[in-house]
Amino acid sequence: MTDHISSTPSPQPDLNRNRLPTLFEVLSRRTLPPVDLFSFYIYMRDQQRSVDYLDFWLDVAQHMSLCRHYVRELRRSVLVSTPEPEKRSNRSSAILEGLGDMSHPAAGPSMYATEKERDQDAQMSAFLREDRGGTHDSPQSSNGARGRPSPGIGSSRDITSDSNSPAHTVARQDIRASAERILYTFLLPGAEREITLPGSITQDVMTAIEEFGRDDPEVFDVAKDYVFQAMERDAFPGFLRMKALGNLIPPTLIMRLIIGLLSVFGGFWTAFVLIFLNESRKTRLWLILPFTIGVYCLASYQYSLDPILALVGFSEYTPFNFSRVREPYVRRLLAQRAFMVLTVTVLIDAALCVLFVLVPGKRL
C-alpha cells in the first residue's frame, strides 16, 4: 500500500497555503510532508490501528478512477467515431457524449464536489448502470483482448491516476471485479478486513452489487462519505497534533520521558551529594550536563517536539527515521514552537543549575 501511495502522481501542492491542510487536501495528495498522504497512512496504521478505513477509502477512490478511465476511453472513441465492437443504446451514447473530461479529483467526498462535478459523476454512474449488461472492452484493449482480463484485473490499485494516456486501458469486467473486491474485502460480515459501518449502509451496498448487479461508483457514495467523516472526526485531529504541532512519534516520546526522568533524578542525586560533601562551585558546574539532558528530554516529551530537529527541518515518521518538512506553513509553525520549547528548556535548566551551584555547601 505504501508503494502505491508514494508512486502515485499527485496534483500540484498549494505552497501558498497559510493554514493547516484539511483531510480532503491530504487525501487528494495536495499536501507535502509531514502532512502528506503517506504520513497519514503510517499514522492510521501505527497509531490508530484503523488503516482498514483508509484503505477502503483509497480503494473506492481508485474504483472511481477506474470507471473514469473506462468511460473516458469510450467517450473518446465516440467523439472520433471509432467503430465499436458492440452497439450501445441511444441513451448510453447520449450520456457518453454529454460527459465532460471528468478531470476533478476522484478522492473527494460528495459534500466537497461542485454541482458540475456531481452532475458529471451522476452521468457516469448512469452510463455504467445502462452499460452493465455488456462486456465492452476499451478501444485500445479490444484487439485480441476480448474475453480475457487486462493486466489490471482484480487489482484496481494498478490504475493510479486520472491520466488520459492510452496506456491506461480498462475493460468493463475490471470495473465489476473492482466493486466485488471492495465488497468482499471490507463490507461483508466476517470479511478479511471488515470495517464497522451502520448496518443499513452495508446492506444497501450488498444488495446493489449482488442482487442488482451494480458496480458504478454511486454504490459506495454513502459508505465513502461515512468513512470520510469518521476519519475527519476521530483520526485527523490527532494526526495534525502529531505532525503539524510536533515532530516525534509515541515510541520515541516514551523513550525521551524515561531518559529525562533518569537524567533529572541523577542530577538531583549528584547535586545533593556534592553539596553535602562541600565540593567547590566549580565542580558543581558539571551538574549542567544531567540537568540539560533531562530538561531537554522532558520538554520534548511534553510538547511532542524536538526543537533542534524542528529548526533544521526534520520530522520523525517511524522510529529513528526522519523526513524533511516540506509543507511551508508547517515548517514555520514547527520553528516557532521550537523556539518556545528551547526558551522553556534554557530557563528551567538555568534555574536548576544556579540553585544547586550557588547554594552554600556543608559537609556532614
Side-chain angles (χ1 to χ4, degrees):
M1 183 65 228
T2 54
D3 291 339
H4 158 68
I5 291 176
S6 60
S7 64
T8 300
S10 59
Q12 185 67 30
D14 181 8
L15 298 180
N16 297 320
R17 180 171 41 236
N18 197 33
R19 56 171 175 77
L20 293 175
T22 64
L23 177 58
F24 172 62
E25 289 170 332
V26 172
L27 295 177
S28 300
R29 300 175 175 88
R30 296 174 181 175
T31 56
L32 296 171
V35 289
D36 58 331
L37 180 56
F38 179 73
S39 299
F40 185 56
Y41 188 89
I42 292 177
Y43 174 80
M44 292 290 286
R45 182 193 67 191
D46 297 342
Q47 309 305 326
Q48 292 292 307
R49 309 293 182 185
S50 55
V51 73
D52 290 343
Y53 288 88
L54 180 55
D55 272 336
F56 170 77
W57 168 274
L58 294 173
D59 278 5
V60 172
Q62 292 214 16
H63 180 70
M64 168 72 82
S65 180
L66 197 72
C67 294
R68 287 180 180 175
H69 276 289
Y70 174 74
V71 172
R72 186 183 292 118
E73 289 175 345
L74 293 182
R75 180 176 180 272
R76 185 186 301 123
S77 70
V78 169
L79 293 179
V80 299
S81 302
T82 301
E84 294 287 340
E86 297 183 28
K87 186 176 181 180
R88 290 180 178 79
S89 68
N90 291 333
R91 171 177 167 79
S92 295
S93 297
I95 295 175
L96 201 59
E97 292 176 4
L99 286 171
D101 59 1
M102 297 178 293
S103 59
H104 55 284
S110 59
M111 73 279 290
Y112 280 92
T114 65
E115 183 176 350
K116 178 182 177 181
E117 292 169 351
R118 283 194 294 267
D119 183 60
Q120 283 186 341
D121 290 342
Q123 290 185 60
M124 180 180 66
S125 293
F127 169 79
L128 291 172
R129 288 193 296 272
E130 187 81 13
D131 190 56
R132 68 176 180 264
T135 58
H136 311 296
D137 286 343
S138 62
Q140 290 86 350
S141 63
S142 60
N143 297 327
R146 297 281 302 282
R148 62 179 175 84
S150 67
I153 278 195
S155 179
S156 64
R157 292 172 187 263
D158 295 336
I159 306 299
T160 57
S161 73
D162 287 333
S163 171
N164 285 322
S165 169
H168 292 127
T169 57
V170 180
R172 183 64 179 88
Q173 57 266 35
D174 294 354
I175 297 175
R176 180 67 188 178
S178 172
E180 290 179 341
R181 182 174 59 82
I182 294 172
L183 174 65
Y184 299 147
T185 303
F186 298 103
L187 300 179
L188 283 182
E192 175 187 359
R193 303 176 63 186
E194 182 182 2
I195 61 176
T196 302
L197 299 176
S200 58
I201 295 179
T202 303
Q203 187 60 45
D204 289 345
V205 175
M206 291 172 55
T207 301
I209 294 178
E210 294 189 321
E211 297 185 15
F212 296 106
R214 290 181 57 184
D215 53 20
D216 56 278
E218 281 188 355
V219 169
F220 300 106
D221 272 357
V222 176
K224 183 182 178 183
D225 289 349
Y226 180 89
V227 168
F228 178 88
Q229 292 170 5
M231 291 192 297
E232 188 175 46
R233 179 185 64 247
D234 300 331
F236 193 63
F239 170 71
L240 288 182
R241 282 194 299 271
M242 178 179 293
K243 293 300 182 181
L245 301 180
N247 61 357
L248 299 174
I249 61 176
T252 304
L253 291 175
I254 296 300
M255 183 188 70
R256 289 182 180 238
L257 174 63
I258 295 173
I259 294 175
L261 290 175
L262 291 176
S263 297
V264 170
F265 174 79
F268 277 113
W269 182 83
T270 304
F272 282 112
V273 167
L274 294 177
I275 290 172
F276 291 124
L277 289 177
N278 198 22
E279 295 290 343
S280 67
R281 289 186 173 90
K282 184 177 180 180
T283 301
R284 280 185 266 168
L285 280 175
W286 289 103
L287 292 173
I288 194 173
L289 291 179
F291 281 140
T292 299
I293 294 172
V295 173
Y296 187 88
C297 288
L298 291 177
S300 297
Y301 171 80
Q302 177 65 31
Y303 295 99
S304 302
L305 179 75
D306 185 305
I308 295 178
L309 285 176
L311 290 176
V312 297
F314 284 95
S315 178
E316 187 178 33
Y317 62 94
T318 58
F320 307 107
N321 288 306
F322 301 90
S323 64
R324 184 164 290 279
V325 178
R326 297 173 55 203
E327 184 75 21
Y329 180 75
V330 173
R331 186 165 57 240
R332 294 194 301 270
L333 190 61
L334 288 176
Q336 293 171 4
R337 287 174 58 82
F339 282 118
M340 183 267 292
V341 174
L342 280 177
T343 301
V344 171
T345 301
V346 169
L347 291 176
I348 296 177
D349 188 32
L352 290 173
C353 290
V354 168
L355 174 64
F356 287 103
V357 169
L358 297 183
V359 66
K362 182 177 181 180
R363 188 175 185 86
L364 295 181

